[in-house]
Amino acid sequence: MNESTEPETILPTVYELVPVILRDVKSSVQKVGVSRELQHAQTAMDTILESGETLPSWTMDIYLIAVRFAVIDLYSLPNHSLHVMYGNDQNGPWVAAQCSSGAYAEWHTDITMNDFENWDREVRYA
């Protein structure tokens, strides 16, 4: 086949993938909660690495950024700011949110490590 008759492979661009990733992570957080979503991600990463595949060192960071945006979108209160931090330490990935109202939430893969202070609101389903 010459070039003009070969089927064209169209790979999605980053501009197409980012909204899909953000939507999927937000939907999952809505369904299962932040800690369970973090558990799913850690299990998936462990499975990939145990199979001998390699991932770029920043893979979990990109994922945690998506979780950060989901938390901001789902938990922000009108007329308040929500500062969301994330990380990955010896206990696995975590996400923490501090609201200007004084409320604080911290989610971990191990739910016994979760910490909530004045965090009495449910997820807003937008």
Side-chain angles (χ1 to χ4, degrees):
M1 264 200 237
N2 65 34
E3 284 185 47
S4 63
T5 59
E6 287 188 34
E8 185 177 327
T9 303
I10 302 173
L11 298 175
T13 67
V14 70
Y15 301 107
E16 295 166 321
L17 288 176
V18 169
V20 172
I21 292 167
L22 293 174
R23 183 194 66 228
D24 289 353
V25 169
K26 178 182 172 185
S27 176
S28 185
V29 167
Q30 282 178 310
K31 290 176 187 168
V32 301
V34 178
S35 286
R36 189 79 170 129
E37 178 62 21
L38 294 174
Q39 290 169 357
H40 289 165
Q42 186 64 55
T43 300
M45 292 283 289
D46 292 346
T47 301
I48 290 167
L49 295 173
E50 287 169 6
S51 74
E53 293 184 51
T54 58
L55 293 170
S57 60
W58 43 261
T59 303
M60 184 59 83
D61 290 330
I62 297 298
Y63 168 76
L64 288 171
I65 289 168
V67 174
R68 176 183 179 266
F69 283 116
V71 168
I72 290 169
D73 202 28
L74 295 168
Y75 290 105
S76 291
L77 292 174
N79 302 316
H80 286 280
S81 61
L82 186 65
H83 180 68
V84 180
M85 303 143 289
Y86 60 88
N88 193 11
D89 59 23
Q90 71 275 8
N91 298 312
W94 57 269
V95 176
Q98 177 73 55
C99 183
S100 61
S101 69
Y104 177 80
E106 191 173 304
W107 298 274
H108 297 266
T109 52
D110 177 356
I111 62 171
T112 63
M113 296 177 64
N114 289 355
D115 182 25
F116 301 99
E117 297 173 21
N118 300 318
W119 195 270
D120 58 358
R121 59 192 176 272
E122 294 293 318
V123 172
R124 260 191 358 186
Y125 293 96

